[in-house]
Amino acid sequence: MNLFCLKLLIILILFLKSALSEVINEFNDGIVDIDLPKNHLSQYFNNLRRFTKKLNETSHGFYKDYLSSEEYDRELCWGYEYGCKKPQFIHKCPGNHSGYVKDKETQLDVFYSQADFGYVKQQLRELKVYCEPYTITDSSLECSENVRFCRGRNLMINFTDLVKREEPFRWDVNVLKAGEIGGYCKFHKDKFEEELDHLGALQSWAAELRNYESLEKRPIEDDLCDVVVEKPTYLMKLDSTINLYHHFCDFFNLYVSQHVNFTHESGFTTDVNILIWETHPYWSQFADTFKAFTENELWNLNKFKGKVVCFKNLVFSLPPRMIFGLYYNTPLINGCENSALFHAFSEHLMHRLQIKQHEPKNRKVRITFLSRNTKYRNVLNEKDLIKRISSNSNYEVKRVVYDRNIKFLDQMEITKNTDVFIGIHGAGLTHLLFLPNWATLFELHNCGDPNCYHDLARLRGINYMTWEDENFVESIEAGYEDESHEKFKNYNFDPDEFGRLVAKAVKAVRNHEDYRNYIKRLEHDEL
């Protein structure tokens, strides 16, 4: 090798070493793990001032460019942060302030605390340390009221008795016995026991943590455990995983828990463990949603059956059926809509799962008709209804059956590219969470449950409508033992009335400011 080639090789090695070093430094700073929608970055960085300063001083590339760009709002915050100057308020209350509030301002405040980032703020306000560490490296446990959300450090959980459980279980409130969970810290037992009222399996973590005890030894340093879990671990209790509405209550509360736990630059990293609090093997048609939260294998309690386990960082995430909780049991005040928290959840999923927004063809309004493949709540004359609106050249109409034959992420992409989403009452309408902001949800018939998807649409901030005149709908018995209940019947709808209502939904889409701005951007890009 001549001298010139040798020098060139040395320069190349030094260059690669430098580049690799910068990549490693960025990784160590947690930068590669941020992976948030661009319109969430200001809030993220403003919550982590020290990290942001370090990033500005030592890093390079996209995030540093962002921090020096006009897009970076140095005051914008979610609303729950200490010293938040510019909370992201997008909620509004156009309806009357009826019931238990005295004025419009109180109505807005109540909605914010019930169904927006104010709920996160409330959890943070409630957090109390119940097991106080003697030193900075000892165990600790803090929880919000009624033990809904907790987080702990260097905790021990003893799963040895699980080997005696022959039948798989879920929603069991007797998994742990006294002393099978604890840590080396000063436990304020009397105060903690005052919080143990909500013992339902999906209401809180009271059933598990009522057995918490202070240990005489440090669980990790004194080798009390068979396994030490280094990575942060989220414990989850799941609702019905075969039902989209109920399972997304799990995912939503996991996202909220990440915000409650957001104290570090890796607060939204996917390099975490998720431990499902049951021994049933996890399966769900909607399982791909977990990819937005973890890149690692999902665990259930069988993972640690017969072992004593130490967790360095453990989060007891908000469970799905809390009393006055979020999503499932939200006591939603009248007249309000458009939760920034629900917006953020939808945007977070669309970003992490890479669900794309496509341009509409020929500026047609895209209508998706969700058909059911079940015994009850079928639209018996759906062919006539689809034919009625397909004749309109301004509509692009698609009929779908969201079952196992269409991958869930593909379903989400169809919904993301829908302007009017039509379907009869059922869990499939939970897809409204993935609709664009300008969309209309047309629940053909609420089947005696008028609030469920109307409220969810209000939370998401999209337009909602349902059938208006019962004289134009026919219900038909479907052979169920409780034939009086509207959920166990099938239906025929008047095609002309259906066409009128769809036209009303399309008008709402075209008049929506976000839709008009979207079309303007497309037209500008075409010039």
Side-chain angles (χ1 to χ4, degrees):
M1 181 182 296
N2 60 38
L3 185 60
F4 174 79
C5 291
L6 182 60
K7 287 182 178 179
L8 189 62
L9 180 61
I10 292 172
I11 291 172
L12 180 61
I13 291 172
L14 291 174
F15 172 81
L16 290 173
K17 181 179 179 181
S18 174
L20 181 60
S21 175
E22 289 181 347
V23 170
I24 291 172
N25 286 336
E26 280 212 347
F27 180 84
N28 289 336
D29 283 343
I31 298 167
V32 297
D33 278 338
I34 295 174
D35 191 22
L36 294 174
K38 201 170 185 180
N39 62 327
H40 294 192
L41 291 177
S42 290
Q43 298 93 315
Y44 172 87
F45 288 122
N46 291 337
N47 202 350
L48 302 166
R49 295 292 184 179
R50 290 183 180 179
F51 172 66
T52 303
K53 182 180 179 182
K54 179 182 177 183
L55 183 61
N56 247 328
E57 293 173 349
T58 63
S59 187
H60 67 358
F62 172 79
Y63 294 114
K64 187 168 184 178
D65 290 344
Y66 175 81
L67 291 170
S68 60
S69 71
E70 293 183 358
E71 292 178 276
Y72 176 39
D73 186 332
R74 287 162 177 78
E75 293 187 342
L76 186 63
C77 42
W78 294 120
Y80 57 80
E81 304 90 334
Y82 177 77
C84 176
K85 296 179 180 179
K86 188 179 176 182
Q88 189 187 40
F89 291 148
I90 63 172
H91 66 282
K92 51 190 177 181
C93 294
N96 292 330
H97 53 276
S98 58
Y100 54 90
V101 294
K102 59 182 180 180
D103 52 37
K104 182 64 67 175
E105 183 179 358
T106 306
Q107 183 188 22
L108 286 161
D109 289 343
V110 169
F111 181 79
Y112 183 68
S113 62
Q114 284 179 338
D116 211 326
F117 281 107
Y119 186 85
V120 176
K121 190 173 186 176
Q122 184 62 33
Q123 298 303 308
L124 291 169
R125 283 177 174 172
E126 293 175 0
L127 279 178
K128 294 179 183 177
V129 176
Y130 290 102
C131 204
E132 188 177 350
Y134 302 111
T135 70
I136 196 170
T137 59
D138 290 335
S139 306
S140 66
L141 177 69
E142 59 180 335
C143 298
S144 62
E145 287 182 6
N146 301 120
V147 202
R148 293 183 295 249
F149 172 92
C150 299
R151 59 188 172 197
R153 188 175 68 242
N154 300 330
L155 299 184
M156 178 277 297
I157 305 182
N158 187 337
F159 294 112
T160 54
D161 276 359
L162 289 186
V163 295
K164 301 174 184 176
R165 305 281 293 265
E166 296 181 0
E167 295 295 324
F169 62 83
R170 60 166 52 107
W171 308 326
D172 192 329
V173 296
N174 296 303
V175 177
L176 300 177
K177 298 196 295 291
E180 291 187 335
I181 181 169
Y184 183 76
C185 44
K186 183 180 179 181
F187 185 36
H188 302 287
K189 186 174 182 179
D190 291 342
K191 289 184 178 179
F192 188 68
E193 287 180 345
E194 294 175 1
E195 302 294 332
L196 301 180
D197 292 333
H198 299 177
L199 287 168
L202 300 181
Q203 292 178 348
S204 75
W205 292 94
E208 291 72 32
L209 289 170
R210 63 184 168 177
N211 296 303
Y212 189 95
E213 290 185 1
S214 181
L215 304 177
E216 296 181 358
K217 295 182 178 181
R218 294 176 173 86
I220 296 178
E221 289 87 340
D222 294 329
D223 296 325
L224 300 185
C225 299
D226 304 309
V227 179
V228 176
V229 179
E230 301 276 347
K231 291 180 181 179
T233 300
Y234 282 80
L235 300 185
M236 287 187 70
K237 295 179 177 182
L238 302 185
D239 206 325
S240 174
T241 60
I242 63 171
N243 181 289
L244 181 64
Y245 178 87
H246 288 283
H247 201 8
F248 259 75
C249 194
D250 303 320
F251 294 123
F252 179 79
N253 279 289
L254 177 58
Y255 178 69
V256 177
S257 298
Q258 287 184 311
H259 278 282
V260 179
N261 192 50
F262 182 31
T263 58
H264 188 268
E265 57 262 27
S266 62
F268 293 95
T269 180
T270 55
D271 191 17
V272 297
N273 299 314
I274 292 179
L275 174 57
I276 299 170
W277 198 260
E278 59 187 54
T279 57
H280 273 277
Y282 173 77
W283 182 90
S284 175
Q285 181 185 347
F286 321 114
D288 280 343
T289 311
F290 270 116
K291 294 176 182 177
F293 299 99
T294 182
E295 64 200 52
N296 300 316
E297 173 193 3
L298 290 177
W299 293 343
N300 67 16
L301 295 182
N302 286 324
K303 173 78 175 178
F304 300 116
K305 184 180 289 188
K307 297 178 181 178
V308 179
V309 185
C310 285
F311 296 92
K312 286 197 171 182
N313 289 283
L314 193 59
V315 176
F316 299 77
S317 61
L318 292 162
R321 296 206 184 195
M322 296 172 288
I323 296 174
F324 301 131
L326 268 180
Y327 187 137
Y328 186 78
N329 281 323
T330 303
L332 200 56
I333 193 169
N334 292 329
C336 298
E337 60 192 34
N338 223 31
S339 163
L341 179 54
F342 276 80
H343 268 263
F345 172 64
S346 179
E347 291 166 346
H348 187 80
L349 289 189
M350 297 300 102
H351 174 80
R352 285 279 176 92
L353 300 176
Q354 300 180 32
I355 307 300
K356 304 299 182 184
Q357 178 82 60
H358 304 303
E359 294 183 15
K361 298 177 182 178
N362 304 317
R363 303 298 181 264
K364 292 185 177 183
V365 174
R366 299 160 298 183
I367 300 173
T368 299
F369 189 105
L370 179 61
S371 180
R372 287 173 62 86
N373 188 18
T374 58
K375 187 174 180 180
Y376 311 114
R377 276 172 280 147
N378 286 299
V379 179
L380 299 178
N381 66 330
E382 68 176 31
K383 289 183 179 180
D384 295 332
L385 302 185
I386 293 172
K387 182 179 179 181
R388 173 66 175 76
I389 59 175
S390 296
S391 61
N392 191 316
S393 61
N394 295 314
Y395 302 166
E396 179 186 326
V397 181
K398 180 192 295 280
R399 174 188 175 273
V400 296
V401 179
Y402 282 166
D403 57 17
R404 298 180 190 181
N405 295 317
I406 304 179
K407 293 180 180 178
F408 183 58
L409 297 186
D410 293 336
Q411 296 179 20
M412 294 177 79
E413 187 164 349
I414 293 170
T415 304
K416 177 67 176 175
N417 291 281
T418 293
D419 304 312
V420 177
F421 193 78
I422 304 172
I424 200 166
H425 182 85
L429 296 187
T430 308
H431 270 267
L432 68 89
L433 293 170
F434 322 132
L435 288 168
N437 295 336
W438 58 74
T440 288
L441 173 71
F442 179 10
E443 183 177 22
L444 267 176
H445 202 267
N446 61 45
C447 300
D449 191 353
N451 297 323
C452 181
Y453 295 105
H454 183 201
D455 283 352
L456 197 57
R458 282 206 285 148
L459 290 166
R460 174 62 183 86
I462 63 167
N463 183 46
Y464 171 91
M465 31 183 309
T466 190
W467 200 262
E468 296 176 355
D469 190 338
E470 290 296 316
N471 292 318
F472 292 100
V473 59
E474 176 189 16
S475 62
I476 299 171
E477 305 295 347
Y480 187 71
E481 57 186 22
D482 184 7
E483 294 182 346
S484 63
H485 201 296
E486 295 178 58
K487 289 185 179 180
F488 301 105
K489 296 180 181 180
N490 294 321
Y491 294 88
N492 283 312
F493 297 89
D494 182 84
D496 290 334
E497 177 67 4
F498 175 71
R500 183 188 73 82
L501 291 171
V502 169
K504 183 178 178 180
V506 168
K507 183 178 180 180
V509 168
R510 286 181 169 153
N511 288 337
H512 197 288
E513 182 180 3
D514 285 357
Y515 183 77
R516 294 200 305 266
N517 291 337
Y518 176 63
I519 296 300
K520 285 180 182 179
R521 285 197 302 272
L522 294 179
E523 291 173 346
H524 179 269
D525 292 343
E526 290 172 354
L527 293 178

